[in-house]
Amino acid sequence: DTGVSQDPRHKITKRGQNVTFRCDPISEHNRLYWYRQTLGQGPEFLTYFQNEAQLEKSRLLSDRFSAERPKGSFSTLEIQRTEQGDSAMYLCASSLVRTGGEPLHFGNGTRLTVT
Amino acid sequence: SQQGEEDPQALSIQEGENATMNCSYKTSINNLQWYRQNSGRGLVHLILIRSNEREKHSGRLRVTLDTSKKSSSLLITASRAADTASYFCATDVPNAGGTSYGKLTFGQGTILTVHP
């Protein structure tokens, strides 16, 4: 169990640029989640996958955000035409769902700063 | 949107004292989980309590759940400086079939500071 890894750890970009983040979950985990966290707040759900299928996307997520999980392994989160309001910590988590109610294992996140 | 609300928002105690954090939520749940987050890091799962459980222990942690009041508490006994972190409750809400979505909704957290 090498844990959930996220890359990069930090990203600084100019407004209007596109950015892509990668998440490698724990290898046997079938669920993968993306959350966003701003300073002083709890993580906010963005989207999640069961294997390669995207099960739900938050209504708060604009069309500028897209996520993929090809072949049910790693996942990427892309933000197009970044805005200053996109500055946040983007957290990835994975879990092995059997009967439901299993805990999430989080990566250390990617901190995005949009200037 | 945030389902849970933690209270207090910040807690400052001395090493050796107990720390109690509370969480309230709004809808029926399958389970409630507590996570810890050190500054600039990801969240670490601490303990899970299911809706049919009232109390659970894990080492120095004690969690209670009152589904009639839609509230939970986390007690850390004999706190240490290393317990300094943010603590979040998260709820797992049942889907239409009554089983777990597996998607957690987090509260805003309690910042715990333990002074040596």
Side-chain angles (χ1 to χ4, degrees):
Chain A
D1 180 354
T2 56
V4 177
S5 67
Q6 293 188 244
D7 183 66
R9 286 297 314 276
H10 304 274
K11 178 72 176 178
I12 300 174
T13 191
K14 293 186 186 303
R15 190 176 53 187
Q17 297 294 304
N18 299 345
V19 293
T20 300
F21 310 141
R22 178 181 170 120
C23 171
D24 288 90
I26 293 171
S27 58
E28 64 269 25
H29 283 185
N30 52 8
R31 283 270 181 97
L32 187 147
Y33 307 79
W34 285 99
Y35 283 82
R36 176 172 62 191
Q37 185 178 27
T38 53
L39 201 61
Q41 301 294 312
E44 176 188 33
F45 169 78
L46 295 180
T47 187
Y48 76 129
F49 295 82
Q50 172 96 3
N51 300 313
E52 66 273 12
Q54 188 171 21
L55 296 185
E56 186 178 340
K57 187 176 174 180
S58 170
R59 288 171 294 171
L60 302 175
L61 213 57
S62 79
D63 291 342
R64 296 184 297 105
F65 288 72
S66 63
E68 293 184 338
R69 192 184 183 197
K71 302 178 183 177
S73 56
F74 71 92
S75 176
T76 57
L77 177 69
E78 180 183 18
I79 309 174
Q80 296 182 327
R81 304 180 303 283
T82 52
E83 302 172 357
Q84 287 189 321
D86 297 332
S87 295
M89 175 80 90
Y90 289 84
L91 294 163
C92 176
S94 68
S95 69
L96 178 60
V97 175
R98 299 187 186 90
T99 58
E102 288 76 17
L104 271 56
H105 299 256
F106 281 86
N108 283 325
T110 292
R111 181 166 295 284
L112 173 66
T113 303
V114 182
T115 62
Chain B
S1 63
Q2 305 285 348
Q3 147 94 306
E5 291 185 4
E6 278 97 337
D7 172 60
Q9 290 189 321
L11 181 60
S12 181
I13 60 174
Q14 295 296 125
E15 211 166 25
E17 294 180 340
N18 295 342
T20 299
M21 289 160 264
N22 303 296
C23 169
S24 60
Y25 57 91
K26 298 172 185 168
T27 64
S28 297
I29 60 172
N30 274 337
N31 65 75
L32 185 145
Q33 304 180 28
W34 286 89
Y35 287 78
R36 163 198 168 123
Q37 184 178 35
N38 288 86
S39 182
R41 310 282 287 185
L43 285 77
V44 175
H45 178 261
L46 295 176
I47 194 164
L48 180 154
I49 186 164
R50 300 190 188 279
S51 60
N52 61 354
E53 298 175 314
R54 292 296 166 258
E55 188 171 313
K56 205 159 181 184
H57 296 256
S58 177
R60 294 185 295 113
L61 305 180
R62 173 180 169 253
V63 170
T64 61
L65 180 65
D66 186 335
T67 52
S68 67
K69 294 182 179 178
K70 292 186 169 58
S71 68
S72 173
S73 68
L74 172 68
L75 169 67
I76 303 174
T77 60
S79 64
R80 306 165 182 168
D83 294 328
T84 294
S86 294
Y87 291 81
F88 296 91
C89 68
T91 51
D92 188 347
V93 175
N95 58 22
T99 56
S100 170
Y101 277 122
K103 175 193 85 175
L104 300 182
T105 302
F106 287 83
Q108 293 184 328
T110 292
I111 300 172
L112 173 66
T113 304
V114 182
H115 300 280

